[in-house]
Amino acid sequence: MSEKGGKGFSLPTKTTPKSALKSTPASATARHDDNSAKSKRGRKVQFGMEGLPNLGFNFSSPKSDGKFAIPVGKGDWAKGGKGEKVVNGGKAPVAKEAKSLELRVEQELPENVKCLMDCEAANILEGIQEQMVMLSQDSTIKLPESFHLGLQYAKTRSYYTNPQSVRRVLEALSKYGVSYSEICVIANTCPETVDEVFALVRSLEAKKSRLSEPLKDVLDELGKLKKST
Amino acid sequence: MFFHIVLERNMQLHPRHFGRNLRENLVSKLMKDVEGTCSGRHGFVVAITGIENVGKGLIRDGTGFVTFPVKYQCVVFRPFKGEVLEAVVTMVNKMGFFAEAGPVQIFVSNHLIPDDMEFQSGDMPNYTTSDGSIQKDSEVRLKIIGTRVDATEIFCIGTIKDDFLGVINDPTTA
């Protein structure tokens, strides 16, 4: 996280009004006009530091890869005023249109997070609801509105009779480099053809040649596991 | 989509809850405080599934409150940019339509609705094409293209202007 007030700065000295800091900001469109002036590829960018009255610094951008990468240390970036993260995250400015619509669950969430398919979530939430029925003697414990909405949503989206077998079938795709979140999207949308999978999960298009055959088999298996209704 | 995640929170407990039922009181307070809330990072906390760990309580100076760090597992629902999901239409107007997927509201602007779908006003405003119509209670498959988080809810923008997106279930023909 960035900090206000110049803490953690790796500048050589705080007394010099300007110090050159090599970093690699992308062709970043300014999100906050008060902080980043005009940042363009290869141009020097000046950041106004409201928290540090005497400090301003330039940095050039020799490389851009769509993200705001700073070699000195991502966390040590003091930004005046708002103290927000300038590097990547949802505020990453210019990304390609197609790339920005690709699923990026793994990058945005911490590693210990497990994606759940809608059918698995439905099982868990139903179990909790049954427990709450038993605990309902304590009238102060009530399930929130979002629980009921979430449960209803998950139940209507569970097309499969057995979530474990669905997971086993889809796990075969993970050795082709399909991420867990992409597997969950495939399971939730219940596609019928391989073209549908590639249209819905754009991030798999890069691996189209490798994935077409295994995907076809997986979709056939999933078709057998669907509920009859 | 749904996720199973471990979160941590510092819970403050009033001394009147101390005693034999300290842990139960702590857990029920956690449930009251956390379930139903929403954050930008994790999305909606739909339900707490278990308590992983309750740390040692720290008595706060000046008051008798004790702060316990609690690690708990929960099911969260968070929409992602690029995710495809199925939602139920709640309102249709000439600017587009609103849909709900679980606790999340999604708006699809008419700019992101295929050009061959025409808006028809009336008692049941809808967008109609030869394949079907989108009106209240229709099910549509859409792709999320943006999210915004408020204090208590997440709001998304979606599109149906891509392949394999659009109406799934037309209530008039069902």
Side-chain angles (χ1 to χ4, degrees), chain A residues 127-218:
Chain A
I128 292 174
Q129 197 182 39
E130 280 158 19
Q131 281 184 350
M132 288 313 289
V133 167
M134 290 192 296
L135 291 172
S136 61
Q137 287 119 16
D138 181 4
S139 59
T140 55
I141 299 181
K142 283 196 185 79
L143 289 170
E145 179 72 19
S146 56
F147 177 87
H148 296 292
L149 291 170
L151 174 59
Q152 192 186 8
Y153 174 78
K155 275 194 342 202
T156 50
R157 300 289 150 248
S158 344
Y159 303 113
Y160 304 107
T161 45
N162 188 349
Q164 280 89 7
S165 18
V166 175
R167 193 160 278 280
R168 263 199 309 268
V169 167
L170 285 169
E171 243 144 39
L173 288 176
S174 56
K175 61 176 184 276
Y176 294 96
V178 181
S179 72
Y180 224 49
S181 57
E182 288 161 344
I183 285 178
C184 283
V185 171
I186 294 174
N188 292 342
T189 51
C190 227
E192 286 167 9
T193 61
V194 172
D195 287 335
E196 196 173 339
V197 174
F198 288 120
L200 297 176
V201 190
R202 294 248 174 240
S203 41
L204 291 178
E205 276 194 325
K207 306 167 198 154
K208 200 167 181 172
S209 48
R210 279 195 300 155
L211 277 177
S212 299
E213 274 306 313
L215 257 181
K216 197 168 173 317
D217 299 331
V218 163

Side-chain angles (χ1 to χ4, degrees), chain B residues 94-96 107-115 127 158-159 161:
Chain B
K94 63 176 190 236
M95 306 302 297
F107 175 64
V108 180
S109 154
N110 59 6
H111 298 290
L112 296 169
I113 295 175
D115 300 327
Y127 282 88
T159 176
K161 217 173 186 181

Side-chain angles (χ1 to χ4, degrees), chain B residues 55-126:
Chain B
K56 292 199 171 144
L58 197 62
I59 305 175
R60 300 186 73 82
D61 289 342
T63 70
F65 281 85
V66 172
T67 305
F68 290 90
V70 183
K71 263 196 189 155
Y72 57 99
Q73 297 162 349
C74 52
V75 172
V76 298
F77 184 79
R78 187 190 148 170
F80 270 91
K81 227 159 60 157
E83 183 183 345
V84 173
L85 45 76
E86 289 156 16
V88 176
V89 176
T90 52
M91 191 173 90
V92 179
N93 60 33
K94 63 176 190 236
M95 306 302 297
F97 64 86
F98 286 87
E100 260 180 23
V104 166
Q105 291 267 339
I106 306 162
F107 175 64
V108 180
S109 154
N110 59 6
H111 298 290
L112 296 169
I113 295 175
D115 300 327
D116 59 351
M117 295 203 102
E118 282 181 14
F119 174 68
Q120 288 171 358
S121 55
D123 281 343
M124 260 308 221
N126 60 68

Side-chain angles (χ1 to χ4, degrees), chain A residues 90 100-106 108-110 112-118 121-122 124-125 128 132 135 138 140-151 153-154 156-157 159 181-182 184-185 188-191 193 195-197 199-202, chain B residues 1-7 24 28 31-32 34-37 40-50 74-88 100-104 139-141 143-146 159 162-165 168:
Chain A
S100 70
L101 283 181
E102 286 174 4
L103 211 50
R104 284 199 185 160
V105 171
E106 270 80 16
E108 291 192 22
L109 282 178
N112 62 346
V113 171
K114 188 185 167 207
C115 292
L116 291 176
M117 296 188 289
D118 291 341
I124 294 175
L125 295 177
I128 292 174
M132 288 313 289
L135 291 172
D138 181 4
T140 55
I141 299 181
K142 283 196 185 79
L143 289 170
E145 179 72 19
S146 56
F147 177 87
H148 296 292
L149 291 170
L151 174 59
Y153 174 78
T156 50
R157 300 289 150 248
Y159 303 113
S181 57
E182 288 161 344
C184 283
V185 171
N188 292 342
T189 51
C190 227
T193 61
D195 287 335
E196 196 173 339
V197 174
L200 297 176
V201 190
R202 294 248 174 240
Chain B
M1 80 181 63
F2 288 99
F3 297 93
H4 204 200
I5 188 172
V6 174
L7 294 175
E24 282 78 17
S28 60
M31 288 171 67
K32 275 183 237 171
V34 164
E35 277 185 353
T37 58
R41 190 156 164 74
H42 305 120
F44 279 94
V45 178
V46 173
I48 293 178
T49 52
C74 52
V75 172
V76 298
F77 184 79
R78 187 190 148 170
F80 270 91
K81 227 159 60 157
E83 183 183 345
V84 173
L85 45 76
E86 289 156 16
V88 176
E100 260 180 23
V104 166
E139 286 181 19
V140 285
R141 185 190 268 175
K143 181 182 271 198
I144 308 256
I145 57 170
T159 176
D162 258 349
D163 292 333
F164 299 102
L165 300 178
I168 309 165

Side-chain angles (χ1 to χ4, degrees), chain A residues 23-30 38-43 45 47 59-70 86-88 91-95:
Chain A
S23 70
T24 59
S27 50
T29 54
K38 295 110 197 151
S39 19
K40 288 187 183 160
R41 215 173 285 203
R43 294 266 294 263
V45 178
F47 269 47
F59 46 135
S60 54
S61 52
K63 181 180 101 167
S64 85
D65 57 354
K67 284 194 178 184
F68 201 101
I70 301 168
V86 179
V87 294
N88 56 316
K91 301 170 189 172
V94 180

